[in-house]
Amino acid sequence: MTDPRTFAIVGAGLAGAKAAEALRVEGFDGRIVLLGAESHRPYERPPLSKGYLQGNADRDSAYVHPAEWYPEHRVELRVDTTVTEIDRRAHELVIGDGSRLAYDKLLLTTGATPRRLPVPGADLDGVHYLRDFGDSDRLKAAFRPDAGVVIVGAGWIGLETAAAARTAGADVTVLEHAELPLLRVLGREMATVFADLHRDHGVDLRFSVSVSAIQPSAENPSSAGSVLLADGTEIAADVVVVGIGVTPNVELARSCGLNVDDGILVDSHLVSSDEDILAAGDVANAYHLLLCRQIRVEHWANALHQPAVAAKTMLGETASYDRLPYFFTDQYDLGMEYTGYTDPDGQDELVIRGDTTAREFIAFWLKDGRLTAAMNVNIWDVTEPIRELIRSGAQVDVSRLADPDAPLSPSP
């Protein structure tokens, strides 16, 4: 007998699609409705600032599933569909066209939205953000030889976009409020590695600066022509890219009374303050059993792996998400993977194995003699032993950790 329940998923990105897949893998044969505001079927976002933007990957490679997967697995995929309200008492979603959809369990995978630059002129043509296929397509067309590209923000999106623009031959300037790129995430020594990388590839890096306005072009007043800094410096720009972080899309959750604080607050099972509503991916601020704290992670790995836990929980099984955060980047000839979670300023020691100058190394962050996070640069097949070493919570021998010939394992 077919399960009579309806499971609704709001947000048709990677997390939503993987949740639908996980429900079928777990044996759920009831109704699954996957609703997304975009016109595309679910796709992964990393290629938008990496391979797809650089022209090394085609659009099809970014899709989570082939188009036929959804009807074949009886997943009702509704694109171009906006959910305007969650009626918790009635267990119904209110759709933008006024219709309603009843649900037994609801999973919110609504993702996040790029923060807008709050200065005059930020709405001019030629000012870009990067979140969807359309954004990436427009940037790909704008990144041409000798174009003047100004990037506001030296985070991961800003640096990956800078690499794509320079690879295309554009003249690139990166503006950052902090003293170095990624300073809050990586600390000074590792942030310097990325600053040197971009300088070596001809990027004009400007730190400790603030943008006061986007100035219109003299030839076309509706389009950006330059970026004005707080100190009066004006930088010519054919293209302006803003990468100053994202804001989790919590409007639906907040309006229906769910607990919200930098995302939708959920427990380790990904259940919100309503037992029939869960959240996963960028929007979920989840309690992490290993880290013993709430944490919201905006990276691909969370959207990929959290849905399996959400699916089990929706089906009444006991499951918790305790996978260590993981992310990666590709910039020019540098490939990097980062595993773990740490505040660089709160760590006792940074240990390096390898050669930072050659950009072939592993950086280890330690607290109280235990590994909390590690970043491998152009060194591969070490993520799993790093993950196991962090999870073990064991004391590590710093000399062995720094030795390229020593195994990545707890001290004997």
Side-chain angles (χ1 to χ4, degrees), residues 126 147-151 214-215 217 223-227 234-240:
V149 177
V150 175
I151 297 171
I214 307 297
Q215 305 275 56
S217 166
S223 183
S226 65
V227 177
E234 190 171 354
I235 305 169
D238 301 303
V239 182
V240 179

Side-chain angles (χ1 to χ4, degrees), residues 92-395:
E92 290 181 340
L93 300 177
V94 181
I95 312 300
D97 62 7
S99 63
R100 286 179 169 251
L101 172 67
Y103 68 84
D104 293 280
K105 294 286 185 181
L106 169 63
L107 175 63
L108 297 176
T109 56
T110 47
T113 299
R115 294 193 184 101
R116 316 312 276 188
L117 187 65
V119 301
D123 57 349
L124 289 169
D125 293 340
V127 178
H128 299 262
Y129 297 82
L130 182 53
R131 190 63 182 174
D132 59 31
F133 265 138
D135 296 333
S136 192
D137 286 335
R138 285 184 285 272
L139 286 178
K140 191 187 301 186
F143 290 167
R144 59 188 185 278
D146 300 324
V149 177
V150 175
I151 297 171
V152 183
W156 297 115
I157 291 294
L159 295 186
E160 289 176 357
T161 304
R166 280 299 297 145
T167 300
D171 296 323
V172 179
T173 301
V174 174
L175 309 175
E176 170 58 42
H177 183 71
E179 299 174 50
L180 287 167
L182 306 166
L183 184 60
R184 183 178 60 83
V185 178
L186 299 180
R188 184 170 299 276
E189 187 172 349
M190 289 300 101
T192 300
V193 171
F194 284 89
D196 291 344
L197 170 71
H198 283 268
R199 286 196 183 100
D200 288 350
H201 283 84
V203 175
D204 181 2
L205 298 174
R206 304 196 188 186
F207 300 120
S208 302
V209 299
S210 297
V211 175
S212 60
I214 307 297
Q215 305 275 56
S217 166
E219 295 78 18
N220 182 2
S222 66
S223 183
S226 65
V227 177
L228 182 65
L229 303 184
D231 65 3
T233 302
E234 190 171 354
I235 305 169
D238 301 303
V239 182
V240 179
V241 184
V242 180
I244 54 174
V246 298
T247 301
N249 295 327
V250 299
E251 294 78 9
L252 269 178
R254 180 183 286 120
S255 64
C256 75
L258 296 181
N259 290 342
V260 169
D261 182 8
D262 184 31
I264 302 171
L265 288 172
V266 294
D267 61 18
S268 64
H269 312 298
L270 305 182
V271 178
S272 74
S273 50
D274 182 320
E275 63 180 8
D276 290 327
I277 303 178
L278 297 84
D282 288 3
V283 77
N285 187 345
Y287 186 80
H288 197 286
L289 292 175
L290 184 65
L291 302 174
C292 299
R293 57 166 293 171
Q294 296 287 142
I295 179 174
R296 187 175 69 83
V297 178
E298 298 168 357
H299 299 294
W300 162 87
N302 251 35
L304 180 68
H305 297 294
Q306 275 189 344
V309 171
K312 289 178 182 291
T313 301
M314 293 168 81
L315 292 168
E317 301 176 31
T318 300
S320 295
Y321 188 76
D322 63 355
R323 192 180 183 92
L324 286 168
Y326 166 91
F327 62 90
F328 68 99
T329 189
D330 296 304
Q331 300 172 34
Y332 311 110
D333 56 353
L334 182 149
M336 181 277 278
E337 297 175 295
Y338 182 105
T339 304
Y341 183 83
T342 192
D343 172 7
D345 292 335
Q347 300 307 291
D348 301 326
E349 194 167 4
L350 174 65
V351 177
I352 305 297
R353 172 188 291 215
D355 186 348
T356 57
T357 303
R359 299 186 187 119
E360 291 186 10
F361 66 92
I362 307 175
F364 303 94
W365 284 270
L366 277 67
K367 179 70 173 178
D368 298 327
R370 294 175 173 84
L371 185 63
T372 59
M375 180 177 76
N376 50 295
V377 174
N378 289 338
I379 292 177
W380 308 111
D381 301 323
V382 293
T383 299
E384 193 56 40
I386 286 172
R387 182 181 294 124
E388 292 176 1
L389 186 54
I390 295 173
R391 293 187 67 90
S392 74
Q395 293 278 336

Side-chain angles (χ1 to χ4, degrees), residues 19-35:
E21 177 184 321
L23 285 168
R24 290 301 187 223
V25 169
E26 291 297 320
F28 179 65
D29 64 356
R31 186 183 183 195
I32 299 175
V33 185
L34 176 58
L35 307 101

